[in-house]
Amino acid sequence: MTEEASTLYAKLLGETAKISWQELAPFFARGNLLKVAGSADLVEVAMGVAEDDKAKVAAWLTRGDLSKVDENLAQDYLERDPELWAVVIAPWVLVQERVRKDVLH
């Protein structure tokens, strides 16, 4: 990672925060909410979006690591109120559900 990329990563990491679905709902209503899969690095994906890295973004979209939040997922978030983390890459808000490590699957 270059020094410039490392600096951007650190900046985005510092801007990533826990957030409730109620706070995210207006972004969903505007169509500006993107879901990052739990298996992906939220900050790395945010970097790719911020840098307009079309190849990386296309790969994440194809794999399902990045997608628009649809109505079904929005309803699920509303009902469950899971732990969500988000970072803003205007006009987008990238959101990721954090799975508690102490919960058995």
Side-chain angles (χ1 to χ4, degrees):
M1 187 179 294
T2 66
E3 186 174 334
E4 184 177 310
S6 180
T7 300
L8 177 59
Y9 189 95
K11 177 183 181 296
L12 292 172
L13 183 61
E15 294 174 358
T16 302
K18 187 175 176 182
I19 192 166
S20 70
W21 173 249
Q22 290 72 25
E23 294 168 291
L24 290 169
F27 298 99
F28 168 72
R30 288 192 290 270
N32 293 1
L33 194 58
L34 299 176
K35 175 188 170 250
V36 177
S39 59
D41 180 333
L42 175 61
V43 178
E44 182 182 338
V45 174
M47 276 183 58
V49 173
E51 294 174 332
D52 196 26
D53 188 327
K54 291 174 181 31
K56 283 185 180 178
V57 170
W60 290 320
L61 288 168
T62 299
R63 284 195 311 263
D65 288 338
L66 181 65
S67 60
K68 284 191 95 169
V69 173
D70 63 22
E71 289 184 28
N72 291 334
L73 183 57
Q75 184 64 37
D76 178 57
Y77 284 165
L78 177 65
E79 291 170 2
R80 290 187 304 114
D81 193 27
E83 182 175 333
L84 300 171
W85 286 77
V87 61
V88 176
I89 304 296
W92 304 106
V93 177
L94 283 70
V95 62
Q96 185 177 55
E97 181 174 351
R98 295 290 166 94
V99 179
R100 290 181 24 201
K101 293 183 182 356
D102 61 333
V103 175
L104 297 176
H105 296 280

